[in-house]
Amino acid sequence: MTRAGEVNRPGEVTRPGEVTRPGEAPRPGEVPRAPSPSGRSGWAGRSRPWRPRYLLPAAAPAAGLALLLCGCGAPGEARAAGPAAAASAPVRVWPDRPAPGRSTGEPAPVPPDRVPGMPEVPGGDIRAFSALAVVQAEVAAHPGAVTGVDGMYEDTARRIAACTRIGAPGCPLREPRFHDLTGNGKDEMIIGFEDGPGDGGPGDGGHGNAASGNGRPGNDGDGNGSAAGNGSPAGSGDGARADTPDEALLGLRAYTLDHGVLVRILSTHVRPLSVGVAGREVIVREPAGLPGYENRSVYAWDAGLRAMTPHREEIRRARP
């Protein structure tokens, strides 16, 4: 066997893939290789045993190139979607127009909206609280409130106070749901209750619809801000009953434990097509005044305000 850099002995034949000596002509099927600067083949200054070299047919490189150029055409594999649209930065119009002043710095601390009458549970689980007891405590602490974050129809407040358990006939509360909304690794409690005018209750004059602009979250209908939410259901009217789906509202509230203290972080009224939770966001879909469209409101935790606030509000085509 001829090693790289050695001279063929009489009768020996250079195998395919071996390096020929300078001046020798390569045999058919062999590939000539230039000697290294050290005069030996392979790594400079070293020799190594002969190993066979496998020569690809001439058509193999072309076939491999064609495979790379053809893309992924097998079912279920990625396919080219065409050229991507070029990204462009917003172009400011009328940049010479003076901008209005805006407040700077951090907002003033918002006191926690503690639920009255609820015991402290240091390091505890919010599931230890009864959703019915929580809402009944709020109704008892704000009797007759029909506007603001505690507002609800008088008939709704009366039925909540008389409720013995969620799911009982006449009880407007729905089963609570638990999700981590603040990112602290612990669940918050989400409560919903049907809120509609009953016999002798106020009419449907001033619904606190979060997405329609009437009583938007952060306002109590009288222009007073509230970090936790809004929107009062009450208005003026003749007291006629309006329990149809188009008139009934859903009181939507959320609570967290702040150092063992039960705190309300969201309170609003919606007329939802659906209420969902995605990640740590509460998403509400509501009918829009424009046919074929719907409002979509996204509430997210604001650590500065210590409350769930409107993160995005948009109008989009309704789902089929």
Side-chain angles (χ1 to χ4, degrees):
M1 179 175 64
T2 304
R3 292 179 172 80
E6 294 182 346
V7 180
N8 290 352
R9 296 182 178 85
E12 285 188 340
V13 179
T14 304
R15 295 179 175 84
E18 292 183 342
V19 180
T20 57
R21 296 180 59 199
E24 290 184 349
R27 298 179 182 275
E30 295 180 352
V31 180
R33 181 175 178 182
S36 64
S38 64
R40 297 182 181 181
S41 63
W43 298 334
R46 297 178 60 184
S47 63
R48 57 183 178 182
W50 172 87
R51 294 179 180 176
R53 295 179 180 270
Y54 299 94
L55 303 178
L56 293 175
L65 179 61
L67 181 61
L68 293 175
L69 294 178
C70 72
C72 301
E77 296 183 356
R79 293 177 181 271
S88 59
V91 178
R92 184 178 178 184
V93 297
W94 306 310
D96 58 330
R97 185 180 184 278
R102 59 182 179 182
S103 59
T104 59
E106 294 296 326
V110 178
D113 189 6
R114 179 173 181 173
V115 180
M118 290 288 104
E120 295 187 13
V121 184
D125 187 350
I126 199 169
R127 295 171 185 263
F129 292 94
S130 163
L132 176 58
V134 169
V135 180
Q136 285 179 333
E138 292 178 323
V139 170
H142 305 279
V146 293
T147 62
V149 294
D150 294 292
M152 64 180 65
Y153 285 100
E154 293 178 4
D155 182 67
T156 302
R158 177 176 53 80
R159 289 186 288 137
I160 288 176
C163 184
T164 57
R165 62 178 177 83
I166 296 177
C171 185
L173 265 71
R174 292 188 169 273
E175 290 289 342
R177 295 293 182 261
F178 299 90
H179 295 274
D180 181 8
L181 302 178
T182 62
N184 63 358
K186 298 182 179 181
D187 284 341
E188 276 65 49
M189 180 166 58
I190 304 172
I191 292 179
F193 57 89
E194 302 299 331
D195 192 14
D199 293 332
D204 61 340
H207 301 306
N209 188 346
S212 69
N214 300 325
R216 297 176 68 86
N219 298 288
D220 62 4
D222 298 324
N224 299 321
S226 170
N230 78 307
S232 84
S236 61
D238 56 7
R241 190 173 183 86
D243 287 341
T244 62
D246 289 339
E247 297 297 334
L249 298 172
L250 178 74
L252 181 62
R253 298 181 179 183
Y255 305 81
T256 189
L257 277 177
D258 186 359
H259 297 90
V261 176
L262 187 64
V263 174
R264 186 172 61 188
I265 58 175
L266 173 67
S267 178
T268 187
H269 277 80
V270 295
R271 187 178 291 111
L273 296 168
S274 69
V275 179
V277 176
R280 297 198 298 268
E281 297 179 333
V282 177
I283 303 174
V284 180
R285 295 171 48 240
E286 299 179 86
L290 186 63
Y293 286 81
E294 64 184 31
N295 293 323
R296 184 175 183 269
S297 302
V298 180
Y299 299 88
W301 173 250
D302 188 311
L305 297 176
R306 305 292 296 172
M308 299 285 292
T309 60
H311 186 61
R312 292 189 304 276
E313 292 189 3
E314 58 188 4
I315 182 171
R316 54 170 58 183
R317 290 287 297 182
R319 298 177 182 177

